[in-house]
Amino acid sequence: MPIRLDTEHSDFPARFATFLGSKRETSVDVQDQVSAIIADVRARGDEALIDLSRTFDRVDLAALGIKVTDAELDAALASIPAETRAALEFAKARIEAHHARQRPTDETYTDAAGVTLGHRWTSVDAVGLYVPGGTAAYPSSVLMNAVPAQVAGVPRIVMVVPAPDGQIAPLVLAAARLAGVNEVYRVGGAQAVAALAYGTATIPAVDKIVGPGNAYVAQAKRQVFGQVGIDMVAGPSEVLILADATANADWIAADLLAQAEHDTAAQSILVTDSDDLAARVVAAVDSMLDTLPRAEIARASWRDHGAVIKVRDLDEAPALVDRVAPEHLEIQAQNADRLAARIRHAGAIFIGAYTPEAIGDYVGGTNHVLPTARSARFSSGLSVLDFMKRTSILKLDADALGKVGTAAVRLAEVERLQAHGRSVSIRTNAGGGQ
Amino acid sequence: MPIRLDTEHSDFPARFATFLGSKRETSVDVQDQVSAIIADVRARGDEALIDLSRTFDRVDLAALGIKVTDAELDAALASIPAETRAALEFAKARIEAHHARQRPTDETYTDAAGVTLGHRWTSVDAVGLYVPGGTAAYPSSVLMNAVPAQVAGVPRIVMVVPAPDGQIAPLVLAAARLAGVNEVYRVGGAQAVAALAYGTATIPAVDKIVGPGNAYVAQAKRQVFGQVGIDMVAGPSEVLILADATANADWIAADLLAQAEHDTAAQSILVTDSDDLAARVVAAVDSMLDTLPRAEIARASWRDHGAVIKVRDLDEAPALVDRVAPEHLEIQAQNADRLAARIRHAGAIFIGAYTPEAIGDYVGGTNHVLPTARSARFSSGLSVLDFMKRTSILKLDADALGKVGTAAVRLAEVERLQAHGRSVSIRTNAGGGQ
C-alpha cells in the first residue's frame, strides 16, 4: 500500500519530511571503478573500448566495428512499420516546432556611460548523446535529446548505445536516423562516456554529453564534467497529481500507473482534498494493475514509493508541491490554471483533465528530459539553451573608459592586483605617458 | 620565455595541439578525502564543521561562532574607506543594471492542433556562495556571484568563507553586506560545500552552490552535484589578445600581465600578424614586470604558460581562437567588430583598444565569472539564468488530445509502456468506456 498522509494529522510535518528524505535508489559506490575505466580509455583508446565491451556487453567490437554504419542505420529505419515511423515523425515535428521558439536572441546596447554591453549565442560544436541499451528501447528519448541539439545548430551530434550480445534495438537506430544524429557508436557504460569526453582513434571527442544512464554512466559524467559539459544526473522519475473531487478517478489511476511502470524506483503521488476521490483512485489503481503488462514493476513502485496526501483544501497544495519539486505535476481540478501559477518548483506542469503526462513524453512538443528527484528546485528540463552558450561582449571608447575606469582602478588596488589597475590607468593616463 | 608559434611553420599544427593539451594545474586526487569529509558533515553536522575548521583553518568555531553576526558585517562595512565603498557601489549598480536585462520572459501559446505549450521561470529558493579565504580578498567576486542571484529574485543568499586563524578580510564581508547576502558562515573547504548541500543545525541547506575554490572545494561540488545544483568547476584563468600592427604594445603588455598576475597557472596569449608588434609587446612585458608587486607570480605564468602566436593575417585567427576557447578574448585591431563576430568559442570578448579585460572584472557590468580552461566550448559566464529554472507547461482539451493522442499511444506501444498508452486512450475513448 502507498503511504497515506494527512495535513490535519499532528504528525504530518514529521512524516512528510521523512517521506521527502526517503531514498528511492540504492546508491552503489562505483567511484573508483569508474575512475579506473576512464583512465583505461584515456590510455588505450579503442583497445580499451573493445576489451571493456567484451567484458560488460559480451560483444566483440573488433569484429563488429565500434561505429554503426550508415547502411545499418538505413536498414533499421527501413525495418520499422510505417505507422511507427509516422508517429516518430509526427513527434519529431512537434518537438522541433516547440524548441525552435527557444532559440535565444543576441543583444548589444550602449548605456549612459557610453559602455557597449551585450552577448551573443553560439552552438556547441559537438554533442554526445548517451542512450541506454538492453531490452527497453526508448526512441522518444533519442528525439528529445537530439532534436534540441539540431535546433540549436550543433554541427556534430554523436550517439553512443551499448550493444549487449551485439544487439541494439532497431527503433533506437531508426530514431537516430530520423533525428539527424551524425554518428552512432555501439559502446556503453562509463567507457562510452570516457570515449566521448577524451576521444579515441574511432570516436572523436565531443564538447558536451547528455542523456540518461545507469550508476556507472552517471558517475562517469560526474567525473568528466569540466573536460566536457554534461546535462543533469538523472535520478528516478516521479509524478505528483493534484486533484479535487471533480476529477476522474480512473484517469488519475491510469496516470499514476504510467509513472509507476517506468521503474520500481519511480514515484507516483496523489494530493487531493477529497477522501472519496482518494479512495476511488486507490481502488482503480488496484484494478488496473491486474491488466498491466508491466504490473510487477508498477506494483512495486506504487507499494514502496506511492503516496496519497490528503489536504484540507487545495490552497494548501502549492507549498507541499514545492517541497516535493516533482519532475511531473498534473493538475486535474477546478481552477487548474490558477493553481499552476502558484507552483514554484516543478519540471513540467500538465494542466487539466485532458493532459495526461504521457502526452509530454511523446508528442506534446515540450521536452520529456526533466529534472528528477527534487532537482526541479534548481534545474530545468532540457532545452535548446543546453546546446548553446553565451559569449559576453564589452566595448568602450576612450570617453567611456574615462568615466568608469577610476572605480576599476580603485577596486584593483584594494584587491592588490596592481597589473589590473595599470591596464586601465595606462590608457586613461595616455596623454601624460604611463 | 613564453612559447612562440608561427602558423607558417610546418610543425605548427603539432605544436599548437601540444600547447592546447598542456595542463596548467597539477591535479591532486582528493576524491576519497573529500568523500570522507562530506560523510562526516552529513553524520555530525556542526560538530564536524567545528572539528574540521580547527584542523584546516586553525580556528575555534565553537568559541567564535559558525555564523558571522550582523554586527560583524556592519562593522566590516563601516571599516572600509569611503572611496572603496563608493567603488563597490558603483560596480554593483552597473552589474545590477546589466543583469536586470537578462531576466527571462515567460511564454504560453496555443498551436494549430489546439495544444497549449509554454514555460515559466522562477528563482531558486536558496543559493550558497563559496568565497575563498586567505590573504587574497576579492570583493568583486562577491558582487559578481551575489548580484545576479538577487536580480533573479533568490530569497535566501548564503555565503561561506573560511576564516584561517580566525580572520576574514573585511572587504569580503563588506561586499557581502552591500550585495544583499542574507547569511554568512565562517567555514570553508569541502566541509562548507557539504554543509550547504546537506544542511547542519546552524546552516540550513541551500539548493544551489556557486563560486570558485581550491581542489577540495571543486571536488566537493562535483560530489554533491545532484543533491544541489552547482555552477561550473573553475580552472585557471586565461586571456587571448588578438592584435594587429595598429595596436599599442604597452597596453597589450599591461593586459597580458593583468592576467598573468592572477596565478602562476594563469595563461596570457598574444595572437598577431605583426612580428614587430610581437617583439615590442614582449619587450614591454619584460620591462613592466620589474615594477609589478606580483612580479614573481606574473613572471612564472608568462614564462611557463604564455604564448605568442604569429599568424599570416588576422583572417586566420578566429579558427585558432575557437580552438583555444579562451575565457577572455581582447581584440585590439582594425575591424575588431568584424573579427569578434567570427568567434564562436570565448567566455567574453573585449572589443577595441579602450576595453582592457580588467574593466570586465570590475565595473563593465557584464559578469566576470566566465568559463575557463577551454570550457567556453560548452558553457557560458554566470548570469541571472543560473539562479532561475524553467517549468514547462502543457495543456490540452479533449479536441487537442484527440488530434495528437493516436501517435502518443503508438509510441507508448512500441516502447512497451502500455500504462502510458492507456493514460491517453482512456481519455480519447471516454465515450465508449475504457
Side-chain angles (χ1 to χ4, degrees):
Chain A
M1 282 301 292
I3 189 173
R4 304 289 289 255
L5 300 173
D6 189 323
T7 58
E8 290 194 274
H9 293 173
S10 59
D11 62 352
F12 176 79
R15 291 189 66 206
F16 186 62
T18 304
F19 171 71
L20 284 182
S22 63
K23 277 271 172 233
R24 289 185 278 138
E25 280 187 319
T26 47
S27 62
V28 281
D29 182 5
V30 296
Q31 202 163 273
D32 295 337
Q33 270 172 280
V34 165
S35 298
I37 290 171
I38 293 173
D40 191 20
V41 172
R42 289 186 69 177
R44 298 195 301 130
D46 287 342
E47 254 186 275
L49 295 183
I50 291 168
D51 290 348
L52 292 162
S53 298
R54 191 176 289 120
T55 305
F56 292 118
D57 295 331
R58 303 162 305 280
V59 59
D60 179 6
L61 293 187
L64 203 56
I66 292 172
K67 188 168 185 174
V68 177
T69 64
D70 282 354
E72 289 175 275
L73 293 173
D74 288 336
L77 185 54
S79 77
I80 64 169
E83 204 183 326
T84 301
R85 178 169 175 160
L88 285 171
E89 283 174 340
F90 180 78
K92 180 188 172 233
R94 290 193 54 85
I95 298 163
E96 213 164 54
H98 178 63
H99 285 73
R101 300 174 70 114
Q102 295 175 345
R103 281 197 204 102
T105 49
D106 299 342
E107 186 194 37
T108 54
Y109 65 96
T110 302
D111 71 10
V115 176
T116 298
L117 303 95
H119 64 257
R120 213 179 65 220
W121 290 89
T122 46
S123 76
V124 173
D125 276 345
V127 165
L129 160 56
Y130 189 94
V131 174
T135 50
Y138 297 126
S140 62
S141 287
V142 176
L143 298 183
M144 290 290 180
N145 281 279
V147 171
Q150 263 224 329
V151 171
V154 175
R156 179 172 166 247
I157 304 172
V158 176
M159 183 172 112
V160 292
V161 53
D165 301 308
Q167 301 301 308
I168 302 175
L171 270 167
V172 162
L173 297 180
R177 201 55 160 170
L178 284 178
V181 170
N182 306 100
E183 303 157 25
V184 180
Y185 300 97
R186 62 185 117 238
V187 59
Q191 59 272 25
V193 174
L196 289 172
Y198 292 99
T200 71
T202 302
I203 308 180
V206 302
D207 301 300
K208 180 155 186 171
I209 301 175
V210 299
N214 61 18
Y216 290 84
V217 171
Q219 174 62 223
K221 281 166 69 179
R222 202 178 279 273
Q223 292 191 17
V224 301
F225 175 50
Q227 171 69 22
V228 296
I230 62 170
D231 62 351
M232 62 195 98
V233 175
S237 182
E238 68 266 336
V239 71
L240 188 153
I241 303 181
L242 200 56
D244 63 14
T246 68
N248 183 313
D250 288 339
W251 297 4
I252 291 175
D255 298 356
L256 292 169
L257 286 172
Q259 190 61 39
E261 76 172 340
H262 267 296
D263 186 350
T264 55
Q267 181 164 60
S268 301
I269 304 169
L270 172 64
V271 174
T272 182
D273 58 354
S274 164
D275 273 323
D276 176 58
L277 180 82
R280 286 185 291 124
V281 168
V282 169
V285 165
D286 286 341
S287 134
M288 284 184 196
L289 266 172
D290 294 335
T291 59
L292 200 63
R294 293 168 69 91
E296 210 176 320
I297 293 167
R299 186 173 281 118
S301 158
W302 180 237
R303 179 191 63 218
D304 298 340
H305 307 297
V308 176
I309 304 179
K310 170 75 191 335
V311 289
R312 283 177 201 86
D313 58 68
L314 290 193
D315 267 351
E316 271 190 341
L320 293 185
V321 171
D322 281 344
R323 288 190 61 196
V324 176
E327 181 188 12
H328 307 108
L329 169 66
E330 287 187 7
I331 308 184
Q332 302 189 33
Q334 290 180 305
N335 300 317
D337 284 295
R338 205 168 49 82
L339 280 165
R342 290 176 55 198
I343 303 300
R344 286 178 51 77
H345 308 314
I349 307 182
F350 303 84
I351 302 176
Y354 287 94
T355 317
E357 185 274 319
I359 289 298
D361 284 339
Y362 296 119
V363 297
T366 50
N367 207 290
H368 81 195
V369 180
L370 293 166
T372 59
R374 304 192 63 225
S375 62
R377 293 174 294 126
F378 54 80
S379 62
S380 311
L382 198 69
S383 82
V384 168
L385 293 189
D386 291 300
F387 300 100
M388 304 188 78
K389 65 268 180 334
R390 201 185 57 249
T391 297
S392 72
I393 292 164
L394 209 52
K395 183 180 178 180
L396 284 75
D397 57 18
D399 188 50
L401 186 62
K403 282 187 184 138
V404 305
T406 313
V409 172
R410 177 75 189 182
L411 292 173
E413 270 165 19
V414 302
E415 294 191 351
R416 295 188 201 151
L417 294 172
Q418 277 80 358
H420 280 63
R422 192 189 290 181
S423 74
V424 175
S425 59
I426 196 175
R427 288 165 162 95
T428 52
N429 299 338
Q434 63 175 102
Chain B
M1 283 299 294
I3 190 172
R4 303 292 288 257
L5 300 173
D6 189 323
T7 58
E8 290 194 272
H9 293 173
S10 60
D11 63 351
F12 176 78
R15 291 189 66 205
F16 186 62
T18 304
F19 171 71
L20 285 182
S22 63
K23 278 270 171 235
R24 287 186 279 140
E25 280 187 318
T26 47
S27 61
V28 280
D29 184 5
V30 295
Q31 202 163 274
D32 296 338
Q33 270 173 279
V34 166
S35 298
I37 290 171
I38 294 173
D40 191 19
V41 172
R42 290 186 69 176
R44 299 195 301 129
D46 286 343
E47 254 186 274
L49 294 183
I50 290 167
D51 289 349
L52 291 162
S53 298
R54 191 177 289 119
T55 305
F56 292 118
D57 296 330
R58 302 162 305 281
V59 60
D60 179 7
L61 294 188
L64 202 56
I66 291 172
K67 189 168 184 173
V68 176
T69 64
D70 282 354
E72 289 176 275
L73 293 173
D74 289 337
L77 185 55
S79 78
I80 65 169
E83 203 183 327
T84 301
R85 179 171 174 159
L88 284 170
E89 283 174 340
F90 181 77
K92 180 188 172 236
R94 292 193 53 86
I95 298 164
E96 214 164 53
H98 179 63
H99 286 72
R101 301 175 71 114
Q102 295 175 344
R103 280 197 204 102
T105 49
D106 298 344
E107 188 194 35
T108 55
Y109 65 96
T110 303
D111 70 10
V115 176
T116 298
L117 304 95
H119 63 256
R120 212 179 65 221
W121 290 90
T122 46
S123 76
V124 172
D125 276 345
V127 166
L129 161 56
Y130 189 94
V131 174
T135 50
Y138 297 126
S140 61
S141 286
V142 176
L143 298 182
M144 290 290 181
N145 281 279
V147 171
Q150 264 224 328
V151 171
V154 174
R156 179 172 167 249
I157 304 173
V158 177
M159 183 171 112
V160 292
V161 53
D165 301 308
Q167 301 302 307
I168 302 177
L171 271 167
V172 161
L173 297 180
R177 201 56 158 168
L178 284 178
V181 169
N182 305 100
E183 304 157 24
V184 180
Y185 301 97
R186 61 185 119 239
V187 59
Q191 58 273 25
V193 174
L196 289 171
Y198 292 100
T200 71
T202 302
I203 308 181
V206 301
D207 300 300
K208 181 156 185 170
I209 302 175
V210 300
N214 62 18
Y216 291 82
V217 172
Q219 175 61 223
K221 282 167 68 180
R222 202 178 279 274
Q223 292 191 18
V224 301
F225 174 51
Q227 172 69 22
V228 295
I230 61 169
D231 63 350
M232 64 194 98
V233 175
S237 181
E238 68 266 335
V239 70
L240 187 152
I241 303 180
L242 200 55
D244 64 15
T246 68
N248 183 315
D250 288 338
W251 297 4
I252 291 174
D255 298 356
L256 292 169
L257 286 172
Q259 189 62 39
E261 78 172 338
H262 267 296
D263 186 351
T264 55
Q267 182 165 60
S268 301
I269 304 169
L270 171 65
V271 174
T272 182
D273 59 353
S274 164
D275 274 322
D276 175 59
L277 180 83
R280 285 185 291 124
V281 168
V282 169
V285 166
D286 287 342
S287 135
M288 285 184 194
L289 267 171
D290 294 337
T291 59
L292 202 63
R294 292 168 70 91
E296 209 175 322
I297 292 167
R299 187 173 282 119
S301 158
W302 179 237
R303 179 192 62 218
D304 298 339
H305 306 298
V308 176
I309 304 180
K310 170 73 189 336
V311 289
R312 282 179 201 83
D313 58 69
L314 289 192
D315 268 350
E316 271 190 341
L320 293 185
V321 171
D322 281 345
R323 289 191 60 195
V324 175
E327 181 188 14
H328 307 108
L329 169 66
E330 287 188 8
I331 308 184
Q332 301 190 33
Q334 290 182 305
N335 300 317
D337 284 294
R338 206 166 50 81
L339 280 166
R342 289 176 57 198
I343 303 299
R344 286 178 52 76
H345 308 314
I349 307 183
F350 303 84
I351 302 176
Y354 287 94
T355 317
E357 186 273 319
I359 288 297
D361 285 338
Y362 295 118
V363 297
T366 51
N367 206 290
H368 82 195
V369 180
L370 294 166
T372 58
R374 304 192 62 222
S375 62
R377 292 174 296 127
F378 54 80
S379 61
S380 311
L382 198 69
S383 82
V384 168
L385 293 188
D386 291 300
F387 299 101
M388 304 189 77
K389 65 269 182 331
R390 203 184 55 248
T391 297
S392 71
I393 292 164
L394 210 51
K395 183 180 178 181
L396 284 74
D397 57 17
D399 188 48
L401 187 61
K403 281 187 185 138
V404 305
T406 313
V409 172
R410 177 74 189 184
L411 291 173
E413 270 166 17
V414 302
E415 293 192 351
R416 295 187 200 151
L417 294 173
Q418 276 81 358
H420 279 62
R422 193 189 289 181
S423 75
V424 176
S425 59
I426 197 174
R427 288 163 162 96
T428 52
N429 300 338
Q434 61 174 101

